[in-house]
Amino acid sequence: MVRALVYAACASALLAAGCSSLAVREPARVSDGALVAPNGMSLYTFDRDPVGQSVCNGMCAQNWPPLTAPADATRSGDWMVINRQDGSRQWAYRGKPLYFWVKDRVPGDRTGDGFNGVWRLARP
């Protein structure tokens, strides 16, 4: 009887651990009405990007680095992963690829909003 209880407890613990490891972690969170990366830096969208595609490459991507997605990242809810021209992967929110702005220096900076009339602060 004791052995059966130990096995049941172990099975429950393994199941719980397995389920928690499968939990989906979103690549960004909302802060003051805008999306920010885990490091607290503001995220932006580019008006010229078609849904599900990034056209910000080369020098553009140097100034507006993409929010990269790991190799095992998968679509979840409003979040999707797109393949970039250089073969890397990028997070997109509701189909819009997400970027950082190199001139934002500290969490909370939002200096890229409205830049050249085509960059927008990413909002939920």
Side-chain angles (χ1 to χ4, degrees), residues 70-104:
D72 63 347
T74 59
R75 183 182 189 124
S76 175
D78 289 327
W79 296 98
M80 66 184 290
V81 178
I82 62 167
N83 293 313
R84 296 182 48 76
Q85 183 181 45
D86 65 2
S88 65
R89 294 163 46 93
Q90 180 177 5
W91 283 110
Y93 182 75
R94 295 184 180 160
K96 295 295 286 182
L98 297 171
Y99 305 87
F100 296 99
W101 171 227
V102 295
K103 293 189 179 181
D104 283 350

Side-chain angles (χ1 to χ4, degrees), residues 24-48:
V24 175
R25 291 192 180 123
E26 295 181 343
R29 61 182 169 81
V30 178
S31 178
D32 295 323
L35 294 177
V36 297
N39 64 2
M41 299 303 288
S42 298
L43 294 168
Y44 299 88
T45 60
F46 185 39
D47 289 349
R48 296 183 182 150

